[in-house]
Amino acid sequence: MDKVLFSSRIVLYYPPDLPEDKIKLLLSKEEKSLKQVEEIFKIQYPDKPRIFIRIAPFNMSWTDSEGIHYSAPSSEFQKLTEEKYDTYLGRLHEWSHFLALNLLCQERHIKPPSFFLIEGLATAVDALINAKYRTNLHLTAKGLLKLGKLKQVTEISNRDFLTLTINEAGSFTSFLLEYFGIEKLKEVYRYINDEEKFNNHFERIYGKSISFFEEKWKAFLNSFLQDENQRAQYVAYASLGLDQMHPFVLECEKFWISQGFRDLPDKILKKEEAFYEAFFNLSQTSELEYAYKTFCRAIDDFRVYLEKRQKSIKAFSEAKLLITQHKCYDSIQDLLKYSLSLALDIEDLEVVTKVSHYIDIIKLLRKVREAHGYNEKRKLLKEAEKKIMLYKER
């Protein structure tokens, strides 16, 4: 059962094992973020929004009819007091989604040609506040333009929304925001559910068609950091690398959670931080080729660690299945030992703990099979039963 924390503006639900002092700090940051986006949008939400926190292997956030959802490994919440994590989870991005989808247009099943505005507006707000993020956003779009991979914004759909297209939509929407301000964006957002007439609404509000402004945007991208064409292409290639990694990350997370593993070992977290740091370094460093190679190595290292954890948990899952089928204890023990060796290699305490207990259970069950007297068998079975019940999957 989740615990609940109230403030004057927000209701926050969180797992009971998270420290309340960190959650109070998080709630304070969320209030500031809500207020900041309200000031940018020049609107105010009249009710108390809800925030839902859960423990999960990777940092993710989304907005739906219930409110704002944040998921992250438990160790991430320990960083809330560190200065460099000052904006962690208290992100403007989700509050932009929340206010736009509740006060501007409540339709949630948006299709092209207006779909780019869903992520575009929230990403543009991030860029408005963070100059480094703005640079990376426009560099990615510039690189895509140079590589001939820039999509028409009106063709962007929910199937496309990964790093490349989020940055593209964000760059175009940021361009509109910088030149025409928030009011026109707010007005055009009200018509994102009008699939047939959205382009007409856009032209009426902005005075020109979307295609006209797309050409203006491309001219802006060509002139943006004019001597940095190579850097822009490297940033675009790196964004493509992130997108190629994304499906495997989602596959891992879905499987791990299904097997009862919601946290993430520190070693994998550090590998993840390393490749994101290398990614953002591409837009700033003077040693561009070296920085790109560093990014490629970092993302490869991250994948290797994900694969090790995936293999470890799959072996553990298979061993549990064989136990229920009363299969050979030798096969079960081999799988558990293989799972344990991989988990130890990546210092995965969560997996090590569970696998070690199952190894103990199998040892006891083997002793039961080898025991001769009824009383001895009965005693060992009771001991095994206690261990099974103590670590029973929830």
Side-chain angles (χ1 to χ4, degrees):
M1 178 70 74
D2 280 351
K3 296 179 77 172
V4 186
L5 198 60
F6 297 88
S7 74
S8 60
R9 299 284 326 266
I10 296 168
V11 181
L12 190 149
Y13 300 83
Y14 66 100
D17 50 340
L18 290 178
E20 189 170 313
D21 62 327
K22 304 289 185 184
I23 298 302
K24 284 181 177 178
L25 179 60
L26 170 60
L27 186 55
S28 172
K29 292 175 184 293
E30 291 295 330
E31 281 195 318
K32 290 176 184 175
S33 294
L34 169 58
K35 184 178 180 182
Q36 196 170 5
V37 178
E38 286 177 330
E39 288 172 353
I40 292 169
F41 282 8
K42 299 175 185 176
I43 54 180
Q44 187 167 5
Y45 190 70
D47 206 346
K48 279 191 175 185
R50 292 183 295 178
I51 296 175
F52 302 88
I53 304 292
R54 70 167 188 161
I55 304 300
F58 299 102
N59 297 345
M60 294 184 72
S61 61
W62 65 96
T63 302
D64 60 21
S65 57
E66 291 186 320
I68 293 176
H69 302 256
Y70 296 121
S71 64
S74 59
S75 59
E76 290 294 279
F77 293 94
Q78 305 301 325
K79 299 173 182 176
L80 283 167
T81 56
E82 296 178 19
E83 187 177 342
K84 70 175 182 175
Y85 287 94
D86 187 55
T87 57
Y88 178 69
L89 292 184
R91 282 179 281 199
L92 307 179
H93 191 97
E94 293 305 329
W95 285 112
S96 300
H97 279 313
F98 181 85
L99 293 179
L101 290 172
N102 280 282
L103 299 182
L104 300 181
C105 181
Q106 294 187 355
E107 177 61 53
R108 295 179 185 276
H109 302 287
I110 309 302
K111 300 176 181 178
S114 63
F115 186 84
F116 75 91
L117 269 176
I118 299 293
E119 286 295 333
L121 179 58
T123 306
V125 169
D126 288 335
L128 189 66
I129 301 302
N130 188 325
K132 287 183 179 179
Y133 184 67
R134 175 186 179 275
T135 298
N136 199 75
L137 206 62
H138 291 324
L139 270 176
T140 306
K142 181 185 179 79
L144 290 172
L145 179 62
K146 295 299 178 185
L147 295 172
K149 293 182 179 292
L150 199 67
K151 291 178 70 78
Q152 279 188 270
V153 293
T154 52
E155 292 180 358
I156 292 174
S157 72
N158 59 348
R159 291 191 299 267
D160 301 315
F161 258 63
L162 295 170
T163 305
L164 286 173
T165 40
I166 286 174
N167 284 358
E168 181 180 337
S171 175
F172 179 67
T173 311
S174 182
F175 170 77
L176 294 177
L177 179 60
E178 289 165 20
Y179 280 89
F180 300 101
I182 193 64
E183 292 303 328
K184 286 186 182 294
L185 268 178
K186 281 165 57 179
E187 188 177 353
V188 78
Y189 202 100
R190 296 181 190 280
Y191 300 102
I192 58 174
N193 60 338
D194 195 338
E195 189 179 342
E196 292 182 6
K197 297 179 182 177
F198 175 78
N199 287 335
N200 295 337
H201 289 303
F202 186 98
E203 188 166 350
R204 174 180 59 79
I205 292 165
Y206 279 95
K208 297 283 185 180
S209 67
I210 292 183
S211 59
F212 172 85
F213 285 109
E214 276 194 289
E215 292 307 311
K216 290 289 185 184
W217 170 53
K218 289 175 185 176
F220 159 75
L221 292 176
N222 277 321
S223 63
F224 181 74
L225 297 179
Q226 208 160 6
D227 298 328
E228 295 284 16
N229 289 342
Q230 187 184 28
R231 182 188 303 279
Q233 290 181 54
Y234 271 125
V235 171
Y237 279 130
S239 298
L240 183 60
L242 293 178
D243 285 356
Q244 290 171 340
M245 173 67 72
H246 190 66
F248 183 54
V249 170
L250 292 182
E251 176 193 329
C252 288
E253 180 169 64
K254 183 178 179 182
F255 178 66
W256 298 347
I257 290 175
S258 74
Q259 298 302 310
F261 296 97
R262 290 192 168 272
D263 227 324
L264 201 65
D266 285 343
K267 266 199 170 182
I268 294 183
L269 277 171
K270 286 174 182 174
K271 295 292 180 184
E272 184 182 29
E273 288 170 7
F275 84 72
Y276 273 119
E277 185 178 335
F279 174 72
F280 285 110
N281 190 41
L282 280 169
S283 60
Q284 302 165 46
T285 183
S286 58
E287 299 179 353
L288 189 55
E289 190 172 341
Y290 175 78
Y292 183 69
K293 287 179 181 177
T294 300
F295 166 79
C296 292
R297 283 195 300 272
I299 204 165
D300 286 344
D301 284 349
F302 179 63
R303 176 179 281 277
V304 167
Y305 273 71
L306 291 187
E307 287 172 346
K308 284 184 178 182
R309 191 176 208 235
Q310 186 78 330
K311 288 176 182 177
S312 176
I313 294 177
K314 280 185 175 179
F316 177 54
S317 174
E318 189 176 342
K320 288 194 297 180
L321 181 63
L322 292 180
I323 291 171
T324 63
Q325 295 173 348
H326 306 287
K327 298 292 183 180
C328 170
Y329 287 150
D330 287 341
S331 300
I332 295 169
Q333 201 156 12
D334 286 345
L335 282 168
L336 290 172
K337 285 180 178 178
Y338 176 65
S339 174
L340 183 62
S341 68
L342 289 170
L344 287 169
D345 188 38
I346 59 175
E347 297 177 12
D348 191 340
L349 185 60
E350 188 181 15
V351 175
V352 166
T353 302
K354 288 192 176 183
V355 173
S356 297
H357 290 308
Y358 271 82
I359 288 174
D360 289 345
I361 290 165
I362 292 301
K363 285 179 180 177
L364 280 170
L365 292 175
R366 290 184 78 124
K367 286 182 179 179
V368 171
R369 180 173 288 180
E370 293 164 3
H372 299 293
Y374 171 78
N375 289 335
E376 186 183 356
K377 284 181 182 286
R378 190 160 175 263
K379 180 183 175 183
L380 289 168
L381 278 171
K382 281 191 173 182
E383 193 177 337
E385 188 179 322
K386 280 182 184 178
K387 282 188 175 289
I388 292 168
M389 290 305 295
L390 186 59
Y391 303 105
K392 186 179 178 182
E393 300 293 336
R394 293 181 180 179

mmCIF file of all heavy atoms in Angstrom, residues 354 356-365 380-393:
data_model
loop_
_atom_site.group_PDB
_atom_site.id
_atom_site.type_symbol
_atom_site.label_atom_id
_atom_site.label_comp_id
_atom_site.label_asym_id
_atom_site.label_seq_id
_atom_site.Cartn_x
_atom_site.Cartn_y
_atom_site.Cartn_z
ATOM 1 N N LYS A 354 18.294 -13.268 -3.971
ATOM 2 C CA LYS A 354 17.229 -14.222 -4.292
ATOM 3 C C LYS A 354 17.783 -15.559 -4.766
ATOM 4 O O LYS A 354 17.311 -16.629 -4.359
ATOM 5 C CB LYS A 354 16.291 -13.621 -5.347
ATOM 6 C CG LYS A 354 15.412 -12.500 -4.813
ATOM 7 C CD LYS A 354 14.327 -12.144 -5.800
ATOM 8 C CE LYS A 354 13.398 -11.078 -5.213
ATOM 9 N NZ LYS A 354 12.282 -10.745 -6.115
ATOM 10 N N SER A 356 20.714 -16.872 -4.156
ATOM 11 C CA SER A 356 21.383 -17.563 -3.048
ATOM 12 C C SER A 356 20.381 -18.310 -2.181
ATOM 13 O O SER A 356 20.635 -19.447 -1.744
ATOM 14 C CB SER A 356 22.160 -16.559 -2.194
ATOM 15 O OG SER A 356 23.187 -15.961 -2.950
ATOM 16 N N HIS A 357 19.236 -17.715 -1.927
ATOM 17 C CA HIS A 357 18.217 -18.391 -1.119
ATOM 18 C C HIS A 357 17.659 -19.613 -1.841
ATOM 19 O O HIS A 357 17.406 -20.644 -1.218
ATOM 20 C CB HIS A 357 17.102 -17.410 -0.768
ATOM 21 C CG HIS A 357 17.528 -16.354 0.205
ATOM 22 N ND1 HIS A 357 18.134 -16.644 1.406
ATOM 23 C CD2 HIS A 357 17.449 -15.007 0.157
ATOM 24 C CE1 HIS A 357 18.409 -15.522 2.048
ATOM 25 N NE2 HIS A 357 18.009 -14.514 1.308
ATOM 26 N N TYR A 358 17.489 -19.508 -3.161
ATOM 27 C CA TYR A 358 17.009 -20.675 -3.906
ATOM 28 C C TYR A 358 18.053 -21.779 -3.919
ATOM 29 O O TYR A 358 17.716 -22.972 -3.898
ATOM 30 C CB TYR A 358 16.609 -20.262 -5.328
ATOM 31 C CG TYR A 358 15.169 -19.836 -5.426
ATOM 32 C CD1 TYR A 358 14.783 -18.552 -5.080
ATOM 33 C CD2 TYR A 358 14.184 -20.728 -5.836
ATOM 34 C CE1 TYR A 358 13.459 -18.159 -5.151
ATOM 35 C CE2 TYR A 358 12.851 -20.357 -5.914
ATOM 36 C CZ TYR A 358 12.494 -19.062 -5.564
ATOM 37 O OH TYR A 358 11.179 -18.692 -5.628
ATOM 38 N N ILE A 359 19.325 -21.410 -3.986
ATOM 39 C CA ILE A 359 20.389 -22.424 -3.915
ATOM 40 C C ILE A 359 20.323 -23.156 -2.577
ATOM 41 O O ILE A 359 20.449 -24.389 -2.514
ATOM 42 C CB ILE A 359 21.771 -21.765 -4.123
ATOM 43 C CG1 ILE A 359 21.935 -21.354 -5.588
ATOM 44 C CG2 ILE A 359 22.894 -22.707 -3.708
ATOM 45 C CD1 ILE A 359 23.203 -20.561 -5.888
ATOM 46 N N ASP A 360 20.087 -22.389 -1.500
ATOM 47 C CA ASP A 360 19.942 -23.013 -0.177
ATOM 48 C C ASP A 360 18.757 -23.976 -0.137
ATOM 49 O O ASP A 360 18.837 -25.064 0.446
ATOM 50 C CB ASP A 360 19.747 -21.931 0.895
ATOM 51 C CG ASP A 360 21.026 -21.140 1.159
ATOM 52 O OD1 ASP A 360 22.102 -21.608 0.739
ATOM 53 O OD2 ASP A 360 20.930 -20.054 1.757
ATOM 54 N N ILE A 361 17.654 -23.567 -0.769
ATOM 55 C CA ILE A 361 16.454 -24.413 -0.798
ATOM 56 C C ILE A 361 16.731 -25.720 -1.542
ATOM 57 O O ILE A 361 16.368 -26.813 -1.088
ATOM 58 C CB ILE A 361 15.274 -23.660 -1.443
ATOM 59 C CG1 ILE A 361 14.802 -22.527 -0.516
ATOM 60 C CG2 ILE A 361 14.111 -24.614 -1.738
ATOM 61 C CD1 ILE A 361 13.899 -21.514 -1.194
ATOM 62 N N ILE A 362 17.403 -25.606 -2.705
ATOM 63 C CA ILE A 362 17.727 -26.797 -3.493
ATOM 64 C C ILE A 362 18.654 -27.737 -2.708
ATOM 65 O O ILE A 362 18.497 -28.967 -2.730
ATOM 66 C CB ILE A 362 18.364 -26.407 -4.846
ATOM 67 C CG1 ILE A 362 17.319 -25.703 -5.721
ATOM 68 C CG2 ILE A 362 18.914 -27.631 -5.570
ATOM 69 C CD1 ILE A 362 16.087 -26.524 -6.028
ATOM 70 N N LYS A 363 19.610 -27.175 -1.996
ATOM 71 C CA LYS A 363 20.504 -27.991 -1.172
ATOM 72 C C LYS A 363 19.707 -28.786 -0.136
ATOM 73 O O LYS A 363 19.957 -29.977 0.108
ATOM 74 C CB LYS A 363 21.535 -27.111 -0.474
ATOM 75 C CG LYS A 363 22.639 -26.617 -1.394
ATOM 76 C CD LYS A 363 23.617 -25.715 -0.630
ATOM 77 C CE LYS A 363 24.722 -25.209 -1.550
ATOM 78 N NZ LYS A 363 25.634 -24.271 -0.827
ATOM 79 N N LEU A 364 18.721 -28.102 0.482
ATOM 80 C CA LEU A 364 17.888 -28.777 1.481
ATOM 81 C C LEU A 364 17.047 -29.875 0.844
ATOM 82 O O LEU A 364 16.903 -30.973 1.393
ATOM 83 C CB LEU A 364 16.977 -27.758 2.174
ATOM 84 C CG LEU A 364 17.615 -26.917 3.282
ATOM 85 C CD1 LEU A 364 16.683 -25.788 3.701
ATOM 86 C CD2 LEU A 364 17.952 -27.793 4.489
ATOM 87 N N LEU A 365 16.484 -29.591 -0.320
ATOM 88 C CA LEU A 365 15.651 -30.582 -0.999
ATOM 89 C C LEU A 365 16.481 -31.791 -1.443
ATOM 90 O O LEU A 365 15.993 -32.932 -1.442
ATOM 91 C CB LEU A 365 14.945 -29.944 -2.199
ATOM 92 C CG LEU A 365 13.872 -28.892 -1.853
ATOM 93 C CD1 LEU A 365 13.333 -28.250 -3.123
ATOM 94 C CD2 LEU A 365 12.731 -29.520 -1.060
ATOM 95 N N LEU A 380 13.885 -31.794 7.460
ATOM 96 C CA LEU A 380 14.488 -31.050 6.353
ATOM 97 C C LEU A 380 13.422 -30.378 5.480
ATOM 98 O O LEU A 380 13.606 -29.253 5.016
ATOM 99 C CB LEU A 380 15.357 -31.987 5.505
ATOM 100 C CG LEU A 380 16.665 -32.452 6.155
ATOM 101 C CD1 LEU A 380 17.278 -33.591 5.364
ATOM 102 C CD2 LEU A 380 17.652 -31.280 6.261
ATOM 103 N N LEU A 381 12.302 -31.069 5.271
ATOM 104 C CA LEU A 381 11.211 -30.497 4.484
ATOM 105 C C LEU A 381 10.620 -29.265 5.156
ATOM 106 O O LEU A 381 10.283 -28.271 4.511
ATOM 107 C CB LEU A 381 10.117 -31.548 4.244
ATOM 108 C CG LEU A 381 10.357 -32.518 3.091
ATOM 109 C CD1 LEU A 381 9.303 -33.629 3.104
ATOM 110 C CD2 LEU A 381 10.320 -31.776 1.754
ATOM 111 N N LYS A 382 10.482 -29.322 6.474
ATOM 112 C CA LYS A 382 9.960 -28.169 7.213
ATOM 113 C C LYS A 382 10.918 -26.983 7.112
ATOM 114 O O LYS A 382 10.502 -25.831 6.971
ATOM 115 C CB LYS A 382 9.731 -28.538 8.682
ATOM 116 C CG LYS A 382 8.455 -29.324 8.917
ATOM 117 C CD LYS A 382 8.156 -29.433 10.406
ATOM 118 C CE LYS A 382 6.790 -30.080 10.615
ATOM 119 N NZ LYS A 382 6.446 -30.147 12.051
ATOM 120 N N GLU A 383 12.207 -27.297 7.172
ATOM 121 C CA GLU A 383 13.214 -26.250 7.059
ATOM 122 C C GLU A 383 13.153 -25.609 5.662
ATOM 123 O O GLU A 383 13.219 -24.378 5.518
ATOM 124 C CB GLU A 383 14.601 -26.839 7.309
ATOM 125 C CG GLU A 383 15.670 -25.782 7.526
ATOM 126 C CD GLU A 383 17.028 -26.411 7.853
ATOM 127 O OE1 GLU A 383 17.060 -27.565 8.325
ATOM 128 O OE2 GLU A 383 18.030 -25.730 7.617
ATOM 129 N N ALA A 384 13.029 -26.452 4.641
ATOM 130 C CA ALA A 384 12.923 -25.952 3.266
ATOM 131 C C ALA A 384 11.652 -25.136 3.084
ATOM 132 O O ALA A 384 11.645 -24.089 2.431
ATOM 133 C CB ALA A 384 12.944 -27.119 2.283
ATOM 134 N N GLU A 385 10.556 -25.606 3.686
ATOM 135 C CA GLU A 385 9.272 -24.905 3.581
ATOM 136 C C GLU A 385 9.361 -23.509 4.186
ATOM 137 O O GLU A 385 8.835 -22.546 3.637
ATOM 138 C CB GLU A 385 8.184 -25.720 4.286
ATOM 139 C CG GLU A 385 6.789 -25.175 4.061
ATOM 140 C CD GLU A 385 5.747 -26.039 4.766
ATOM 141 O OE1 GLU A 385 5.909 -27.277 4.769
ATOM 142 O OE2 GLU A 385 4.793 -25.461 5.299
ATOM 143 N N LYS A 386 10.058 -23.399 5.317
ATOM 144 C CA LYS A 386 10.237 -22.087 5.951
ATOM 145 C C LYS A 386 10.988 -21.134 5.031
ATOM 146 O O LYS A 386 10.634 -19.970 4.882
ATOM 147 C CB LYS A 386 11.009 -22.236 7.268
ATOM 148 C CG LYS A 386 10.167 -22.694 8.431
ATOM 149 C CD LYS A 386 11.011 -22.759 9.690
ATOM 150 C CE LYS A 386 10.214 -23.301 10.868
ATOM 151 N NZ LYS A 386 11.069 -23.399 12.084
ATOM 152 N N LYS A 387 12.057 -21.645 4.411
ATOM 153 C CA LYS A 387 12.835 -20.809 3.504
ATOM 154 C C LYS A 387 12.010 -20.390 2.288
ATOM 155 O O LYS A 387 12.058 -19.256 1.850
ATOM 156 C CB LYS A 387 14.088 -21.546 3.040
ATOM 157 C CG LYS A 387 15.211 -21.564 4.062
ATOM 158 C CD LYS A 387 16.485 -22.129 3.466
ATOM 159 C CE LYS A 387 17.644 -22.023 4.448
ATOM 160 N NZ LYS A 387 18.079 -20.632 4.633
ATOM 161 N N ILE A 388 11.231 -21.314 1.755
ATOM 162 C CA ILE A 388 10.385 -21.014 0.597
ATOM 163 C C ILE A 388 9.357 -19.935 0.959
ATOM 164 O O ILE A 388 9.150 -18.974 0.213
ATOM 165 C CB ILE A 388 9.695 -22.279 0.067
ATOM 166 C CG1 ILE A 388 10.730 -23.222 -0.542
ATOM 167 C CG2 ILE A 388 8.624 -21.924 -0.946
ATOM 168 C CD1 ILE A 388 10.217 -24.621 -0.833
ATOM 169 N N MET A 389 8.700 -20.081 2.101
ATOM 170 C CA MET A 389 7.683 -19.117 2.524
ATOM 171 C C MET A 389 8.309 -17.751 2.835
ATOM 172 O O MET A 389 7.739 -16.710 2.548
ATOM 173 C CB MET A 389 6.951 -19.631 3.765
ATOM 174 C CG MET A 389 6.051 -20.822 3.501
ATOM 175 S SD MET A 389 4.838 -20.527 2.184
ATOM 176 C CE MET A 389 3.850 -19.220 2.954
ATOM 177 N N LEU A 390 9.519 -17.774 3.406
ATOM 178 C CA LEU A 390 10.185 -16.530 3.756
ATOM 179 C C LEU A 390 10.527 -15.703 2.535
ATOM 180 O O LEU A 390 10.429 -14.481 2.560
ATOM 181 C CB LEU A 390 11.460 -16.868 4.546
ATOM 182 C CG LEU A 390 12.249 -15.671 5.133
ATOM 183 C CD1 LEU A 390 11.357 -14.878 6.090
ATOM 184 C CD2 LEU A 390 13.487 -16.179 5.849
ATOM 185 N N TYR A 391 10.870 -16.358 1.454
ATOM 186 C CA TYR A 391 11.270 -15.641 0.240
ATOM 187 C C TYR A 391 10.298 -15.863 -0.913
ATOM 188 O O TYR A 391 10.653 -15.807 -2.065
ATOM 189 C CB TYR A 391 12.695 -16.051 -0.158
ATOM 190 C CG TYR A 391 13.666 -15.793 0.945
ATOM 191 C CD1 TYR A 391 14.173 -16.823 1.718
ATOM 192 C CD2 TYR A 391 14.040 -14.486 1.249
ATOM 193 C CE1 TYR A 391 15.053 -16.574 2.765
ATOM 194 C CE2 TYR A 391 14.915 -14.227 2.286
ATOM 195 C CZ TYR A 391 15.421 -15.271 3.040
ATOM 196 O OH TYR A 391 16.282 -15.008 4.066
ATOM 197 N N LYS A 392 9.065 -16.108 -0.535
ATOM 198 C CA LYS A 392 8.029 -16.354 -1.552
ATOM 199 C C LYS A 392 7.832 -15.103 -2.404
ATOM 200 O O LYS A 392 7.795 -13.992 -1.896
ATOM 201 C CB LYS A 392 6.710 -16.703 -0.872
ATOM 202 C CG LYS A 392 5.619 -17.114 -1.839
ATOM 203 C CD LYS A 392 4.346 -17.474 -1.075
ATOM 204 C CE LYS A 392 3.235 -17.839 -2.038
ATOM 205 N NZ LYS A 392 1.987 -18.145 -1.329
ATOM 206 N N GLU A 393 7.710 -15.285 -3.706
ATOM 207 C CA GLU A 393 7.522 -14.147 -4.618
ATOM 208 C C GLU A 393 6.157 -13.508 -4.348
ATOM 209 O O GLU A 393 5.135 -14.187 -4.224
ATOM 210 C CB GLU A 393 7.561 -14.617 -6.082
ATOM 211 C CG GLU A 393 8.863 -15.271 -6.470
ATOM 212 C CD GLU A 393 10.018 -14.285 -6.453
ATOM 213 O OE1 GLU A 393 9.786 -13.079 -6.586
ATOM 214 O OE2 GLU A 393 11.149 -14.743 -6.300
#
